[in-house]
Amino acid sequence: MVTEQQLKEVLICIYETDYNDEQTFEEFADGLDFWIDKDGDILIEGRGMKPIDGIQKVGHVDNGVIYAY
């Protein structure tokens, strides 16, 4: 099971590497969905985008709040 903290750590890493000069963390993260592939890797897609079949949705971000399920 994936936790909100794990998802936040992944987002922070991406944000600090690529986006911190362009927008706030909340703006960057809002509207993202999280998926787990067959190897257990976390995938991140914009809201409404769905990866290939067999990938399980495990969370999303709304209004800066990270949800894992």
Side-chain angles (χ1 to χ4, degrees), residues 1-65:
M1 177 176 208
V2 176
T3 67
E4 284 89 356
Q5 184 60 37
Q6 287 172 305
L7 297 177
K8 186 175 184 175
E9 289 172 8
V10 170
L11 285 178
I12 288 172
C13 182
I14 295 168
Y15 173 74
E16 289 177 348
T17 302
D18 297 322
Y19 295 96
N20 67 341
D21 293 332
E22 299 174 21
Q23 55 192 311
T24 67
F25 178 76
E26 290 77 17
E27 291 170 330
F28 159 73
D30 198 42
L32 295 177
D33 291 333
F34 303 97
W35 306 79
I36 295 287
D37 69 10
K38 65 181 182 336
D39 296 324
D41 295 325
I42 297 173
L43 307 174
I44 301 172
E45 297 288 343
R47 181 75 32 86
M49 302 296 291
K50 183 178 179 188
I52 58 173
D53 291 336
I55 306 298
Q56 178 185 4
K57 187 173 182 179
V58 296
H60 70 277
V61 181
D62 262 335
N63 298 318
V65 179

